Amino acid sequence: MWGGRYASGPSAIMEQINASIGFDRRLYAQDIAGSKAHCAMLADQGLISAEDGAAIQDGLDRILKEIEAGTFEFKTALEDIHLNIEARLAELIGDAAGRLHTARSRNDQVATDFRLWVRDAVDGLDEQLQALQAALIEKAEAHADTVMPGLTHLQPAQPITFGHHLLAYVAMVGRDRGRLRDCRARVNESPLGAAALAGTSFDIDRHATAAALGFDAPMENSMDAVSARDFTLEFLAALSISAIHISRLAEEIVLWCTPQYGFIRLSDAYTTGSSIMPQKRNPDAAELARAKAGRIVGAMTGLMIVMKGLPLAYGKDMQEDKEPAFDAAESLSLAIAAMAGMVGDMEADPDAMERALVDGFPTATDLADWLVRVLDMPFRRAHHVTGQIVALAEKQGCGLADLPLADMQRVESGITQDIYSVLSNVASVQSRTSFGGTAPGRVREAAKAAREKFL
Ligand code: ARG
């Protein structure tokens, strides 16, 4: 494989540690596309003959068909996807195959292939995240008026609408898509033609190959082109954050569908039973979506550590970039798909949400705000007065709306019957009309804006 200098082949262990064909075979389409662009450029520049160029193009097309038909024989002895394809090309078209590697090395080749793969993965994930947003927005619109407890510290805080809660995730996913978009712009530069590290003495046209492969431009520095993997790190970082967002929603779903909460019911399609407990409906899909964040962040961390301290230019360490990226992309893709399915299918139980608002005095802030608005009390004092009223209600075992006026007046004589107009959960959410607030009108407006922005 290594030509003149080598008298004997590698040891079995060498072959095993060195080979990447087991996983980089999935770059075959990108590798062939890169080779075809390179070959066309070599012919256009007069660096190979038109005949050789045509034979190479034809051979590469045949190889693509063989791989897609499953008849291509991948060989570990040929190390990676690049050498496997090149060797098959030689079998198919003979000596002309050897001209394809003019002014190119596997270092720029693999970086090119992998950037093309990451670009496709970004586009695929973006589409899936958009579908998740669509499912969330649809549910949010259906539940713009559905009141539920809003929590901080997992403790009852203030009433919110279910629609508002779901739209929070639409915003998060929107930023995840933005991060992918930003990442894509930096991914989309062509390393091809950087050759091993120093560029080449041949009169190649890197702008032409970059354009042919849909890259925005050739990378400016040949050493950077072959040794940069921050595009993968950035991809994994974007995936990690997205996976963390998915895991938060997954956790909420796990909580919401417990009998203790009962806020939602997942469909049969996204739950599993138990082999021993006949009553069970377990949210396995949500749990697994929650867990995927672990391996995705692990993939990012692992590659960060591989890259740390690597001297320029290429080092074989970089071959370790692919498996984590493949696994992370696959894991996130599955998690998003499961999440979109669960959200689309889930049924909310507004009565259970309302029951959950009975405890915890969720309209205490509304009471304090009333004291500020109507009695012109400084908020800090209103906070204190409300605290005393809450303590009273707690002692009597009732909610604020059920506490007799006389009791409230014992704490603050200025309170009138009008106070009850702000103590219901519905009144509370309807009053939160500030921009970005949970008032049903605002939620409907926000859902519409999200549709326009994201879908
Ligand atoms: N299989 C290699 C990788 O994934 C391709 C580049 C090999 N380059 C080299 N100089 N050995 O990184």
Side-chain angles (χ1 to χ4, degrees):
M1 194 159 50
W2 309 124
R5 187 147 199 247
Y6 276 73
S8 69
S11 75
I13 292 296
M14 178 61 200
E15 190 175 293
Q16 202 188 333
I17 194 172
N18 208 30
S20 53
I21 189 63
F23 50 86
D24 68 15
R25 52 197 282 174
R26 56 160 111 186
L27 297 178
Y28 73 88
Q30 290 80 4
D31 196 69
I32 289 171
S35 288
K36 286 176 67 81
H38 184 67
C39 170
M41 181 277 294
L42 291 177
D44 286 347
Q45 295 293 104
L47 296 168
I48 62 172
S49 71
E51 279 156 324
D52 284 348
I56 291 169
Q57 296 286 0
D58 184 54
L60 290 168
D61 289 337
R62 284 169 62 185
I63 292 169
L64 183 63
K65 286 201 190 99
E66 288 179 3
I67 295 176
E68 272 165 3
T71 58
F72 187 96
E73 199 196 328
F74 292 99
K75 296 182 182 136
T76 308
L78 289 171
E79 215 179 295
D80 57 24
I81 186 66
H82 324 294
L83 294 176
N84 267 270
I85 288 177
E86 195 180 325
R88 179 64 183 146
L89 189 63
E91 280 172 20
L92 289 174
I93 69 167
D95 277 354
R99 297 194 185 276
L100 174 59
H101 217 53
T102 311
R104 167 179 101 165
S105 112
R106 281 187 298 157
N107 298 346
D108 54 337
Q109 199 179 348
V110 73
T112 303
D113 294 1
F114 200 33
R115 280 176 187 266
L116 291 173
W117 184 88
V118 171
R119 191 176 73 185
D120 285 350
V122 162
D123 292 345
L125 290 169
D126 180 69
E127 215 171 283
Q128 282 194 279
L129 288 170
Q130 185 185 43
L132 173 57
Q133 287 181 308
L136 287 164
I137 291 170
E138 196 173 311
K139 276 276 144 46
E141 285 167 339
H143 292 286
D145 298 280
T146 304
V147 181
M148 74 186 286
L151 313 177
T152 63
H153 314 268
L154 209 63
Q155 300 288 322
Q158 295 175 349
I160 55 163
T161 64
F162 190 38
H164 195 54
H165 197 133
L166 295 175
L167 287 181
Y169 284 98
V170 172
M172 289 149 83
V173 172
R175 291 192 297 278
D176 293 340
R177 292 178 65 196
R179 266 180 285 275
L180 284 172
R181 211 163 35 242
D182 294 346
C183 161
R184 192 191 197 281
R186 276 177 289 274
V187 167
N188 204 32
E189 295 191 337
S190 176
L192 195 57
L197 75 166
T200 175
S201 57
F202 293 101
D203 179 26
I204 59 170
D205 184 350
R206 292 191 58 211
H207 290 86
T209 49
L213 293 167
F215 286 118
D216 295 327
M219 290 182 75
E220 283 180 9
N221 181 295
S222 63
M223 294 189 63
D224 178 46
V226 292
S227 64
R229 289 296 180 274
D230 52 292
F231 73 92
T232 320
L233 296 176
E234 191 175 356
F235 174 65
L236 290 172
L239 265 55
S240 294
I241 296 173
S242 182
I244 285 166
H245 288 162
I246 298 275
S247 81
R248 297 181 73 178
L249 178 55
E251 168 67 3
E252 303 221 72
I253 286 176
V254 168
L255 290 171
W256 290 341
C257 72
T258 58
Q260 288 79 3
Y261 276 71
F263 289 0
I264 59 163
R265 184 176 170 86
L266 293 175
S267 69
D268 288 355
Y270 288 98
T271 47
T272 57
S274 153
S275 58
I276 173 170
M277 297 166 283
Q279 83 283 13
K280 291 284 265 182
R281 283 171 60 79
N282 293 326
D284 296 41
E287 294 170 272
L288 287 162
R290 181 175 65 184
K292 295 294 182 198
R295 62 200 278 177
I296 294 168
V297 174
M300 176 193 71
T301 312
L303 187 59
M304 293 259 181
I305 294 167
V306 167
M307 292 309 297
K308 182 200 164 293
L310 274 194
L312 301 191
Y314 178 82
K316 198 64 174 255
D317 315 52
M318 291 176 200
Q319 180 166 286
E320 294 284 317
D321 59 356
K322 287 169 210 68
E323 286 167 294
F326 292 156
D327 186 72
E330 231 163 64
S331 300
L332 185 61
S333 167
L334 197 53
I336 299 168
M339 194 51 79
M342 268 183 284
V343 169
D345 275 14
M346 75 186 180
E347 277 189 49
D349 182 345
D351 294 337
M353 293 178 180
E354 210 181 303
R355 281 197 298 278
L357 280 159
V358 169
D359 294 327
F361 313 102
T363 54
T365 313
D366 300 85
L367 198 160
D369 287 350
W370 186 93
L371 298 174
V372 170
R373 199 175 310 111
V374 180
L375 303 186
D376 195 28
M377 219 180 253
F379 184 77
R380 277 291 154 241
R381 163 129 188 81
H383 184 284
H384 186 78
V385 168
T386 305
Q388 291 176 306
I389 294 173
V390 165
L392 211 56
E394 195 166 40
K395 220 161 88 198
Q396 299 191 13
C398 68
L400 291 175
D402 298 319
L403 191 67
L405 182 60
D407 287 326
M408 292 201 223
Q409 285 171 336
R410 271 201 287 128
V411 179
E412 168 50 57
S413 60
I415 294 178
T416 67
Q417 183 68 28
D418 182 56
I419 191 78
Y420 294 102
S421 69
V422 301
L423 295 181
S424 81
N425 298 313
V426 170
S428 174
V429 294
Q430 274 169 354
S431 74
R432 298 294 195 279
T433 52
S434 56
F435 180 79
T438 194
R442 280 294 192 186
V443 171
R444 267 185 282 275
E445 210 174 87
K448 186 162 174 274
R451 263 186 196 288
E452 276 155 25
K453 185 169 176 191
F454 297 121
L455 306 187

